């Protein structure tokens, strides 16, 4: 069977950065399940799986615009430290969830902490990076 748009598939994958560091893998877990072409995956991964045959292994190298996009300076911003919860001491690298003005949840990472302000980064941690995925199509479900 072939992975086609609209078909639910299961894949095993290992994602690496340009330096070879693994950032994610399905090894030791159930295969990743998604519908091809439904926008559930990053664009380059979704397109790369399309047309694969069950049992086929493929290496996908994705530039940032086919993965998590380029890093954006406008997604790094300062907030006053007094808007942080009273019982929370911010630390560089902490991941927090806040809400946009429209009420949508948004994950941010603490980039720096000063006495009266905190610098937050809403870019995805993999933004601006080329990603490589070793993918094996395990099953086409429907």
């Amino acid at each position: 069977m072939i992975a086609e748009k609209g078909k639910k598939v299961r894949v095993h994958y290992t994602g690496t950065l340009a330096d070879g560091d693994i950032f994610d893998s399905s090894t030791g877990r159930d295969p990743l399940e998604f519908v091809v072409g439904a926008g559930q995956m990053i664009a380059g991964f979704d397109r790369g799986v399309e047309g694969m045959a069950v049992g086929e292994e493929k290496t996908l190298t994705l530039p940032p615009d086919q993965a998590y996009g380029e890093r954006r300076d406008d997604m790094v911003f300062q907030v006053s430290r007094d808007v942080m919860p009273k019982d929370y001491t911010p630390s560089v690298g902490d991941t927090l969830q806040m809400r946009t003005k429209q009420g949508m949840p948004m994950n941010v990472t603490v980039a720096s902490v000063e006495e009266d302000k905190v610098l937050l980064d809403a870019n995805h941690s993999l933004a601006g990076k080329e990603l490589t995925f070793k993918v094996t199509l395990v099953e086409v479900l429907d």
Side-chain angles (χ1 to χ4, degrees), residues 5 20 24 28 54 76 78 91 96-97 99-100 105 120 124 128 140:
K5 281 187 181 176
D24 195 12
V54 171
V76 179
Q78 282 187 358
S91 181
L96 308 171
Q97 189 173 80
R99 297 216 175 266
T100 65
L120 300 175
H124 189 282
V140 176

Side-chain angles (χ1 to χ4, degrees), residues 1-140:
M1 296 207 51
I2 303 294
E4 299 172 339
K5 281 187 181 176
K7 299 265 186 182
K8 187 182 288 187
V9 298
R10 288 186 178 146
V11 299
H12 271 300
Y13 68 94
T14 298
T16 56
L17 300 172
D19 62 7
D21 284 349
I22 296 173
F23 64 85
D24 195 12
S25 178
S26 64
T27 301
R29 302 188 317 224
D30 288 337
L32 174 66
E33 186 175 296
F34 66 98
V35 176
V36 177
Q40 298 169 327
M41 306 301 298
I42 56 175
F45 190 96
D46 207 359
R47 280 195 292 275
V49 170
E50 189 175 345
M52 288 179 69
V54 171
E56 182 180 351
E57 185 179 286
K58 192 179 211 182
T59 299
L60 310 173
T61 301
L62 310 180
D65 68 329
Q66 294 298 307
Y68 292 96
E70 296 292 347
R71 286 193 53 76
R72 292 179 30 196
D73 290 340
D74 64 325
M75 293 182 72
V76 179
F77 54 95
Q78 282 187 358
V79 296
S80 174
R81 191 151 175 186
D82 62 7
V83 302
M84 297 285 160
K86 299 283 185 237
D87 59 344
Y88 169 65
T89 303
S91 181
V92 172
D94 286 355
T95 301
L96 308 171
Q97 189 173 80
M98 44 188 312
R99 297 216 175 266
T100 65
K101 291 177 182 175
Q102 296 78 24
M104 299 296 297
M106 174 175 65
N107 291 327
V108 296
T109 302
V110 175
S112 70
V113 179
E114 296 180 22
E115 187 174 324
D116 60 342
K117 53 191 163 191
V118 178
L119 187 66
L120 300 175
D121 186 347
N123 284 288
H124 189 282
S125 62
L126 296 173
K129 297 182 179 175
E130 180 179 273
L131 307 179
T132 299
F133 292 93
K134 183 177 177 183
V135 181
T136 302
L137 183 62
V138 175
E139 187 176 9
V140 176

